[in-house]
Amino acid sequence: MELEDGVPVVRVPLERLRLFCRSAVSAIGFSESEAELVTAALVTGSLRSHPGQGQGVQQLPRYLARVRAGVVRVHAGTRLLSSGPATAVMDADRAAGSVAASRAMDAAVALAQSQGVGAVAVRDSTHLGVASHYAMRALEGGCIGLAFTNAGPEIAPWGGTEAIVGTNPWAVALPTPEPWPIVLDMATSTSGKGMVRWFQEAGRRIPDDWALTTSGERTTDAAAALAGTLFPLGGAKGYAMAVIMDGLTGILAGAAFGGSCFGAEHQDVGHLLLALRIDRFSPMDDFLGRVGELIAQLRSSPLTAGVERIWLPGELEYARVQERTQRGVPFDRSAHQGLEALARELGLDLGLLVPAQ
């Protein structure tokens, strides 16, 4: 067992993990088409995210609990309620967020193919997962992809103490002439509670711009942070961004927003998926060439002391995917045990979770 940021982790070979995830999703009750979309999104989350963020395949026990509670609906009847020349609204029917958002991005790309721009707002959805997965989905159609979602309240209004808005993540993906795309994937908080718990498990104090206590004071104590609210990225700017994201998702789509989003019995999450067909704005070769020039300019910057190279947004995640494809996907002990317990409950092959040697 190796350490990652001071926390013991085990690595599960990627193909075993993918097979386990697909088997678990099917056993939970998702249809074949849903299982394909959910598995793809969860595996992307495990490959691209820090294990402490709590994304990816380790979400499976929560998915089972939500399906059993009726919060997430399998065989959901996602449908477009309205569709204009370049826009649509989707009712997700409580589908897994990965199902709703994947189908919505596909619809946005289809609209962009004919109109140059496609925008699909989604209501009555559930937890999205990593937003970059859906933004990158648009790249396959020659588009720039943008994905926005709201989430349960974890950020207080700037100057307040009660969580009202979510971390409300968003992502943008642009193709490049490199093997990897430029991808921005960020929440509107400095960090999430998953990373706070990771630091707590490692016995480390958190940075003082990660969270606020219940009385609104900065803290480096993980326990106090978990009881309080998350610190918005950049202070008041991050709070303002979270509000705007709620407007672009929950409010625009007719879903829940603010403190009502992500309810225990009805999440009613809102998403907004957009696709921009690049060759309606610029020939693709010209676009890629100009992106390549920008990358070269950025990498030409003189480096500060101790820095070895300039990284582009999404490039570190790409390197993480390559490394995990070779060495396996890391899980902390608690997450791995949770997956083992799920395998026993669903009657799945525990051998699929045997750590890599």
Side-chain angles (χ1 to χ4, degrees), residues 90-126:
M90 173 183 285
D91 185 325
D93 190 35
R94 300 196 184 195
S98 48
V99 171
S102 296
R103 290 175 176 171
M105 180 54 88
D106 290 349
V109 170
L111 290 170
Q113 295 303 325
S114 62
Q115 302 299 319
V117 177
V120 179
V122 183
R123 64 180 62 162
D124 203 10
S125 188
T126 58

XYZ file of all heavy atoms in Angstrom, residues 90-126:
245
model
N -34.714 19.947 -21.312
C -34.896 18.518 -21.054
C -35.438 18.302 -19.647
O -34.950 18.892 -18.685
C -33.567 17.763 -21.205
C -33.645 16.284 -20.790
S -32.067 15.420 -20.894
C -31.926 15.227 -22.673
N -36.448 17.450 -19.536
C -36.893 16.949 -18.235
C -36.170 15.631 -18.018
O -36.367 14.672 -18.773
C -38.401 16.741 -18.238
C -38.939 16.335 -16.869
O -38.235 15.599 -16.143
O -40.047 16.753 -16.524
N -35.329 15.570 -16.954
C -34.507 14.378 -16.730
C -35.251 13.260 -16.027
O -34.749 12.133 -15.953
C -33.267 14.752 -15.929
N -36.422 13.551 -15.446
C -37.213 12.511 -14.788
C -36.420 11.809 -13.685
O -36.497 10.607 -13.511
C -37.702 11.497 -15.825
C -38.730 10.519 -15.281
O -39.540 10.922 -14.427
O -38.707 9.344 -15.706
N -35.613 12.590 -12.946
C -34.802 12.077 -11.830
C -33.747 11.078 -12.285
O -33.311 10.209 -11.516
C -35.663 11.455 -10.737
C -36.663 12.395 -10.104
C -37.194 11.838 -8.802
N -38.223 12.700 -8.233
C -38.654 12.626 -6.975
N -38.154 11.714 -6.156
N -39.588 13.438 -6.532
N -33.332 11.157 -13.527
C -32.277 10.267 -14.015
C -30.968 10.546 -13.298
O -30.772 11.611 -12.704
C -32.083 10.471 -15.519
N -30.068 9.585 -13.337
C -28.700 9.861 -12.899
C -28.197 11.064 -13.686
O -28.429 11.177 -14.889
C -27.812 8.646 -13.147
N -27.503 11.961 -13.001
C -27.015 13.158 -13.676
C -26.161 12.839 -14.881
O -26.185 13.561 -15.885
N -25.394 11.753 -14.802
C -24.540 11.371 -15.924
C -25.356 10.955 -17.137
O -24.942 11.174 -18.280
C -23.607 10.233 -15.505
O -24.318 9.212 -14.837
N -26.515 10.370 -16.907
C -27.392 10.000 -18.021
C -28.002 11.248 -18.646
O -27.953 11.457 -19.863
C -28.502 9.041 -17.538
C -29.540 8.817 -18.636
C -27.910 7.717 -17.085
N -28.567 12.112 -17.783
C -29.228 13.319 -18.284
C -28.247 14.237 -18.999
O -28.527 14.719 -20.106
C -29.899 14.055 -17.128
N -27.103 14.488 -18.385
C -26.157 15.443 -18.966
C -25.526 14.907 -20.241
O -25.269 15.663 -21.181
C -25.080 15.793 -17.942
N -25.253 13.612 -20.295
C -24.682 13.040 -21.524
C -25.668 13.156 -22.679
O -25.314 13.556 -23.800
C -24.310 11.571 -21.303
O -23.293 11.431 -20.344
N -26.926 12.823 -22.408
C -27.938 12.928 -23.460
C -28.170 14.384 -23.853
O -28.379 14.695 -25.034
C -29.236 12.277 -22.984
C -29.144 10.768 -22.863
C -30.401 10.143 -22.266
N -30.315 8.681 -22.244
C -31.182 7.887 -21.628
N -32.229 8.411 -20.995
N -31.029 6.571 -21.652
N -28.107 15.278 -22.865
C -28.311 16.695 -23.159
C -27.159 17.253 -23.990
O -27.387 18.043 -24.915
C -28.459 17.484 -21.862
N -25.927 16.859 -23.673
C -24.800 17.338 -24.482
C -24.882 16.782 -25.894
O -24.584 17.497 -26.869
C -23.465 16.975 -23.839
C -22.262 17.458 -24.643
S -22.284 19.257 -25.014
C -21.461 19.896 -23.544
N -25.280 15.537 -26.042
C -25.452 14.980 -27.392
C -26.498 15.781 -28.169
O -26.334 16.046 -29.367
C -25.865 13.513 -27.320
C -24.741 12.614 -26.825
O -23.593 13.075 -26.741
O -25.024 11.440 -26.506
N -27.570 16.175 -27.480
C -28.599 16.993 -28.135
C -28.052 18.373 -28.479
O -28.364 18.930 -29.549
C -29.821 17.121 -27.229
N -27.223 18.940 -27.600
C -26.630 20.250 -27.864
C -25.702 20.191 -29.074
O -25.693 21.103 -29.916
C -25.868 20.736 -26.624
N -24.918 19.124 -29.177
C -24.020 18.965 -30.323
C -24.830 18.821 -31.611
O -24.484 19.403 -32.648
C -23.086 17.758 -30.117
C -22.323 17.431 -31.412
C -22.101 18.032 -28.988
N -25.923 18.065 -31.552
C -26.780 17.904 -32.742
C -27.345 19.250 -33.179
O -27.401 19.556 -34.383
C -27.900 16.912 -32.441
N -27.757 20.074 -32.220
C -28.247 21.414 -32.565
C -27.132 22.260 -33.160
O -27.347 23.010 -34.120
C -28.808 22.092 -31.301
C -30.113 21.520 -30.749
C -30.414 22.117 -29.379
C -31.276 21.785 -31.700
N -25.933 22.144 -32.595
C -24.805 22.932 -33.096
C -24.413 22.516 -34.506
O -23.937 23.345 -35.295
C -23.604 22.784 -32.156
N -24.609 21.243 -34.849
C -24.265 20.800 -36.193
C -25.084 21.534 -37.244
O -24.601 21.832 -38.343
C -24.479 19.287 -36.319
C -23.566 18.439 -35.451
C -22.091 18.696 -35.705
O -21.682 18.957 -36.837
N -21.294 18.643 -34.659
N -26.330 21.845 -36.912
C -27.186 22.527 -37.874
C -27.203 24.038 -37.694
O -27.310 24.785 -38.666
C -28.618 21.986 -37.795
O -29.166 22.233 -36.509
N -27.081 24.501 -36.449
C -27.230 25.926 -36.167
C -25.926 26.633 -35.798
O -25.896 27.856 -35.696
C -28.230 26.124 -35.016
C -29.598 25.536 -35.287
C -30.263 26.165 -36.496
O -30.196 27.385 -36.688
N -30.915 25.358 -37.321
N -24.878 25.868 -35.546
C -23.607 26.461 -35.116
C -23.472 26.532 -33.606
O -22.372 26.449 -33.071
N -24.601 26.670 -32.916
C -24.624 26.737 -31.457
C -25.777 25.860 -30.958
O -26.866 25.877 -31.548
C -24.841 28.181 -30.948
C -24.943 28.215 -29.434
C -23.720 29.093 -31.430
N -25.534 25.110 -29.902
C -26.587 24.320 -29.284
C -26.557 24.494 -27.784
O -25.480 24.464 -27.177
N -27.713 24.727 -27.173
C -27.799 24.903 -25.719
C -28.989 24.113 -25.203
O -30.111 24.292 -25.668
C -27.954 26.381 -25.365
N -28.740 23.239 -24.235
C -29.802 22.420 -23.650
C -29.788 22.602 -22.136
O -28.788 22.316 -21.480
C -29.633 20.930 -24.003
C -30.742 20.098 -23.360
C -29.634 20.734 -25.517
N -30.901 23.088 -21.600
C -31.070 23.223 -20.161
C -31.791 21.980 -19.641
O -32.686 21.452 -20.297
C -31.873 24.478 -19.825
N -31.390 21.512 -18.461
C -31.922 20.271 -17.901
C -32.523 20.540 -16.530
O -31.876 21.174 -15.678
C -30.819 19.196 -17.780
C -31.405 17.883 -17.261
C -30.124 18.983 -19.114
N -33.733 20.035 -16.299
C -34.379 20.137 -14.986
C -34.638 18.740 -14.423
O -34.600 17.749 -15.145
C -35.707 20.895 -15.085
C -36.756 20.208 -15.935
C -38.065 20.974 -16.029
N -37.889 22.283 -16.653
C -38.889 22.994 -17.167
N -40.132 22.531 -17.125
N -38.652 24.171 -17.728
N -34.894 18.693 -13.131
C -35.221 17.448 -12.423
C -34.150 16.380 -12.612
O -34.449 15.200 -12.783
C -36.588 16.907 -12.852
C -37.202 15.982 -11.799
O -36.661 15.925 -10.667
O -38.199 15.316 -12.098
N -32.880 16.796 -12.541
C -31.776 15.856 -12.636
C -31.206 15.595 -11.237
O -31.781 16.016 -10.229
C -30.696 16.399 -13.575
O -29.698 15.420 -13.826
N -30.082 14.886 -11.194
C -29.436 14.531 -9.930
C -27.939 14.792 -10.044
O -27.473 15.360 -11.028
C -29.720 13.060 -9.571
O -29.258 12.212 -10.637
C -31.213 12.822 -9.354
